[in-house]
Amino acid sequence: AATVRKLLALARARPPQLERVDFKAMARSAIGWREHHLQLHQIEARLDVDPHLPPVECDRHQVHQVLINLLLNAELAVGSKGIIDVRIRRGTGEDVLVSVADSGPGVPSEDLARIFQPFFTTRAPQEGTGLGLASCLSIVEAHNGTITARNRSQGGLEVTFQLPLEASREAENEGGDVATSWRPPEGLRV
């Protein structure tokens, strides 16, 4: 049932409902959601946020879900007695960079390019559906952002996503004016 719910959520992705979001508060909230599990497994979650980062225009709930998915993946990779670093910085332009890095074993290099594909997982069949990172990719791309993953030289995996600070208004106007009236196709009956 959980797999079907995740698949339906991925398939029915809704457009982002944009608002200005304090990323430090959102990251604290995401870590708070996982706090009990982190403590049980002696995993230290460290948060480092640029103190001068302005609010980011995004869908609070969707981006929160990305953070939760990345934290959950990092927890599972670490297992116990490890570290998860969440770092939020302003990028080189008008964007924000969010990275979640763990002290786990990393991902085999031959699998690294496929981890964002739906149903791809490096875990045992009972442990994952392969939809978490695919859902992250979908959400980040809907925000006109990018997401990447790399194995760190000191061990572990780092997943980084980039979002623009201000949402683009161009996408809203791409289709031109919407017709004010609609007529059903002729010759059809219900």
Side-chain angles (χ1 to χ4, degrees):
T3 301
V4 170
R5 279 194 303 275
K6 287 178 186 177
L7 184 58
L8 288 173
L10 185 62
R12 291 189 213 155
R14 64 175 174 79
Q17 305 297 308
L18 302 176
E19 62 181 298
R20 294 207 173 276
V21 176
D22 175 355
F23 262 44
K24 184 173 187 174
M26 184 171 44
R28 281 185 176 157
S29 170
I31 292 170
W33 277 52
R34 302 301 309 160
E35 186 173 16
H36 177 71
H37 186 271
L38 293 168
Q39 289 174 350
L40 277 177
H41 296 280
Q42 300 174 350
I43 299 172
E44 180 186 0
R46 302 184 298 201
L47 177 61
D48 179 18
V49 182
D50 178 354
H52 305 292
L53 183 71
V56 179
E57 192 173 17
C58 66
D59 185 307
R60 172 186 314 274
H61 303 291
Q62 290 182 1
V63 176
H64 189 266
Q65 185 61 49
V66 170
L67 284 170
I68 293 288
N69 284 345
L70 296 180
L71 284 168
L72 182 58
N73 281 353
E75 287 173 36
L76 292 170
V78 168
S80 63
K81 295 185 180 179
I83 296 171
I84 298 172
D85 284 314
V86 179
R87 188 169 183 207
I88 304 173
R89 293 279 178 260
R90 187 166 187 160
T92 55
E94 292 298 310
D95 58 351
V96 60
L97 296 173
V98 180
S99 70
V100 178
D102 64 64
S103 61
V107 173
S109 56
E110 63 272 12
D111 293 337
L112 200 54
R114 302 181 334 163
I115 63 173
F116 294 105
Q117 294 175 357
F119 303 111
F120 179 80
T121 182
T122 57
R123 295 192 203 119
Q126 311 87 327
E127 295 179 7
T129 60
L131 293 174
L133 288 176
S135 136
C136 290
L137 174 66
S138 176
I139 291 169
V140 168
E141 286 182 343
H143 283 80
N144 296 317
T146 60
I147 187 167
T148 59
R150 69 175 186 89
N151 285 314
R152 302 183 317 153
S153 59
Q154 65 269 41
L157 183 73
E158 180 177 30
V159 179
T160 302
F161 67 93
Q162 167 274 333
L163 298 176
L165 290 172
E166 299 275 336
S168 170
R169 301 291 180 210
E170 293 172 14
E172 295 174 10
N173 297 325
E174 278 181 5
D177 294 334
V178 176
T180 56
S181 64
W182 177 82
R183 287 187 344 199
E186 294 180 23
L188 299 177
R189 298 195 310 157
V190 177

